């Protein structure tokens, strides 16, 4: 039923020449939001000092982070792992991506999950232009909120582990995040049932 409704709206919007972003506004109850439970970040002080991250109350849907880059970084890689528990509480890894940060920023050829991460961090950061080499200095991003999640997800707890490292030299920074993904339509249905 939902897929029929979505395709009908897309067809009508194309006939009426409505932008796809405007079409999305016609479907207010579809989508997701993330509620974060725990966030930790640890840096190698030779490369990343004064590492700070926290989840922002009251709804725990946004976060802020800052770090001081101690030396210019011209070679820089990352590893992103996302896992969810199944019904038997066994943790299943659903994404495991290793990427060259400089290449990703230079070529702009990113996977959806990396794009989501870059856009989330860059949206409210003090970095004017993301490119390598990364200069020394303080980097901060405030009020980061995860948006534009892919539509094939389902409600569940999740675990994210993001590592940054200098290949074959040193580990640089680790960020872990635990939270829960909620589907807006299901949350609204539960509200109607109990209110």
């Amino acid at each position: 039923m939902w897929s029929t409704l979505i395709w009908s709206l897309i067809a009508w919007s194309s006939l009426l020449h409505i932008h796809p972003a405007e079409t999305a506004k016609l479907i207010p109850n579809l989508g997701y939001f993330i509620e974060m439970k725990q966030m930790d970040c640890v840096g190698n002080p030779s490369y990343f000092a004064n590492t700070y991250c926290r989840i922002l109350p009251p709804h725990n849907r946004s976060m802020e982070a800052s770090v001081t880059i101690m030396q210019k970084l011209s070679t820089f890689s990352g590893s992103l792992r996302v896992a969810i528990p199944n019904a038997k509480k066994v943790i299943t890894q659903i994404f495991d991506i290793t990427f060259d940060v400089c290449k990703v920023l230079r070529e702009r050829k990113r996977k959806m999950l990396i794009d989501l991460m870059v856009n989330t961090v860059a949206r409210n950061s003090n970095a004017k232009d993301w490119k390598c080499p990364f200069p020394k200095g303080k980097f901060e991003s405030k009020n980061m909120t995860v948006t534009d999640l892919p539509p094939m997800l389902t409600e569940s707890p999740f675990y994210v582990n993001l590592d940054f490292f200098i290949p074959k030299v040193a580990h640089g920074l680790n960020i872990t995040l635990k939270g829960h993904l909620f589907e807006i339509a299901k949350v609204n249905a539960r509200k109607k049932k109990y209110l």
Side-chain angles (χ1 to χ4, degrees):
M1 177 186 144
W2 282 111
S3 59
T4 306
L5 174 65
I6 292 168
W7 284 112
S8 298
L9 286 170
I10 291 169
W12 277 104
S13 70
S14 64
L15 289 172
L16 299 172
H17 302 292
I18 299 172
H19 191 275
E22 295 300 316
T23 305
K25 292 177 185 174
L26 298 173
I27 315 169
N29 292 330
L30 295 182
Y32 304 89
F33 67 88
I34 287 178
E35 185 176 286
M36 293 166 270
K37 310 255 186 233
Q38 180 182 347
M39 183 178 190
D40 297 301
C41 48
V42 179
N44 177 340
S46 298
Y47 300 95
F48 298 96
N50 307 316
T51 309
Y52 165 81
C53 58
R54 78 177 185 113
I55 299 166
L56 300 175
H59 301 294
N60 296 342
R61 295 184 190 170
S62 58
M63 58 194 145
E64 63 185 14
S66 67
V67 66
T68 303
I69 298 174
M70 300 304 291
Q71 52 185 289
K72 184 168 77 171
L73 299 172
S74 54
T75 305
F76 194 33
S77 292
S79 171
L80 177 64
R81 294 183 304 282
V82 180
I84 58 171
N86 65 17
K88 296 179 181 178
K89 306 291 185 202
V90 175
I91 305 299
T92 304
Q93 194 160 285
I94 58 172
F95 292 108
D96 187 353
I97 303 166
T98 300
F99 54 97
D100 180 325
V101 174
C102 296
K103 185 177 179 182
V104 163
L105 295 173
R106 183 176 58 248
E107 295 180 359
R108 301 290 181 189
K109 293 178 182 174
R110 300 190 276 240
K111 297 180 179 176
M112 182 185 293
L113 203 56
I114 301 300
D115 240 352
L116 175 66
M117 180 184 71
V118 170
N119 292 337
T120 299
V121 174
R123 198 173 295 125
N124 293 317
S125 76
N126 66 336
K128 302 293 181 213
D129 187 24
W130 284 54
K131 62 182 179 182
C132 288
F134 283 89
K136 289 170 53 173
K138 185 173 183 178
F139 170 81
E140 60 186 348
S141 190
K142 297 185 176 185
N143 200 24
M144 293 181 282
T145 304
V146 179
T147 57
D148 304 322
L149 291 164
M152 65 281 216
L153 301 173
T154 59
E155 283 195 343
S156 72
F158 66 87
Y159 307 97
V160 175
N161 192 329
L162 178 61
D163 285 302
F164 291 106
F165 56 94
I166 294 99
K168 300 180 182 178
V169 175
H171 183 269
L173 179 67
N174 172 261
I175 301 165
T176 57
L177 178 65
K178 294 179 183 177
H180 197 102
L181 175 70
F182 290 96
E183 192 173 340
I184 293 170
K186 288 183 180 179
V187 170
N188 290 341
R190 286 191 293 267
K191 284 180 184 176
K192 285 180 185 176
K193 182 178 178 181
Y194 294 108
L195 295 180

